[in-house]
Amino acid sequence: MRLVLLGPPGAGKGTQSARLQEKYKIPQLSTGDMLRAAVKAATPIGLQAKAIMAAGSLVPDEIVIGIVAERIEEPDAKQGFILDGFPRTVNQAEALAEMLKAKNMSLDAVIELKVDEAALLARIEKRARETMAGGGVVRHDDSPEVVRARLDAYRTQTAPVVAYYAAKKALTTVDGMAPIAAVSTAIDKVLGG
Ligand code: ADP
């Protein structure tokens, strides 16, 4: 199963990816997590990405495309994967199509989690409060100003990816405003179980 989850920050992609990873025994490939790991390890990519991510902007396509191309070659991705946070631009979507084509592979589903913007800000604020209450470290790009920048990036650069897959008749939209369990059920239905 090869799956793409699309949706703005706070839409629930991470929650659903983690569940799908268990259910289908395929890895969740989160470009955000991979980039955060690179920043933490201060790799050359991490050093390049750090300030961009802190500002809520998108890391250049060639960097992210390179990371994903390498990651899907790993043995654990052979049986499939869930892409979370990628593709985030039409250019990335086209690169993904090329990568898969070269391997004679295709996507089984592209699922968009649709959530309205007012709810997103509230969700991300709640996530930060809960993380803090639990003694965890809040992502510093979860501050309200940076969240706004991330939502802007979504609107201008990632929303066209939704249109790209819709035009290819490859898109299924799920109501991300529904309770988590209902979202899970809706996704399972799309995936045929
Ligand atoms: P969220 O989905 O909550 O916005 P992510 O963890 O997916 O957060 O991404 C965090 C940041 O990492 C983004 O704001 C962006 O700077 C960078 N990033 C992640 N994935 C990509 C991508 N596919 N292309 C460009 N930048 C990315």
Side-chain angles (χ1 to χ4, degrees), residues 31-54:
T31 44
D33 287 349
M34 293 184 233
L35 289 166
R36 276 185 289 276
V39 170
K40 202 165 167 209
T43 65
I45 284 177
L47 295 175
Q48 245 185 297
K50 188 173 180 179
I52 300 173
M53 293 173 73

Side-chain angles (χ1 to χ4, degrees), residues 110 123 133:
V110 179
R123 278 188 185 186

Side-chain angles (χ1 to χ4, degrees), residues 29-136:
L29 310 186
S30 156
T31 44
D33 287 349
M34 293 184 233
L35 289 166
R36 276 185 289 276
V39 170
K40 202 165 167 209
T43 65
I45 284 177
L47 295 175
Q48 245 185 297
K50 188 173 180 179
I52 300 173
M53 293 173 73
S57 307
L58 295 188
V59 172
D61 285 338
E62 60 275 17
I63 291 184
V64 186
I65 291 167
I67 292 181
V68 172
E70 269 181 29
R71 183 63 185 86
I72 63 174
E73 291 297 334
E74 299 280 327
D76 67 335
K78 290 275 180 274
Q79 299 312 312
F81 47 76
I82 304 147
L83 283 171
D84 162 6
F86 181 92
R88 243 183 174 86
T89 63
V90 170
N91 194 17
Q92 291 178 17
E94 284 167 346
L96 175 64
E98 286 299 312
M99 275 179 228
L100 293 175
K101 198 171 151 205
K103 293 152 81 64
N104 259 323
M105 289 175 174
S106 58
L107 293 172
D108 295 285
V110 179
I111 299 176
E112 176 201 12
L113 294 177
K114 212 178 171 73
V115 178
D116 53 68
E117 245 183 59
L120 294 173
L121 280 165
R123 278 188 185 186
I124 294 170
E125 279 165 18
K126 180 164 171 263
R127 175 165 79 187
R129 276 199 307 275
E130 286 171 356
T131 304
M132 245 181 315

Side-chain angles (χ1 to χ4, degrees), residues 5-7 24-26 33 49 55 60 62 83 95 103 111 119-120 122 130 132 134 140 143 147 149 165 170 173 182:
L5 284 185
L6 292 175
Y24 291 99
K25 310 283 177 227
I26 48 176
D33 287 349
E62 60 275 17
L83 283 171
K103 293 152 81 64
I111 299 176
L120 294 173
E130 286 171 356
M132 245 181 315
H140 71 248
S143 69
V147 167
Y165 286 117
T173 298

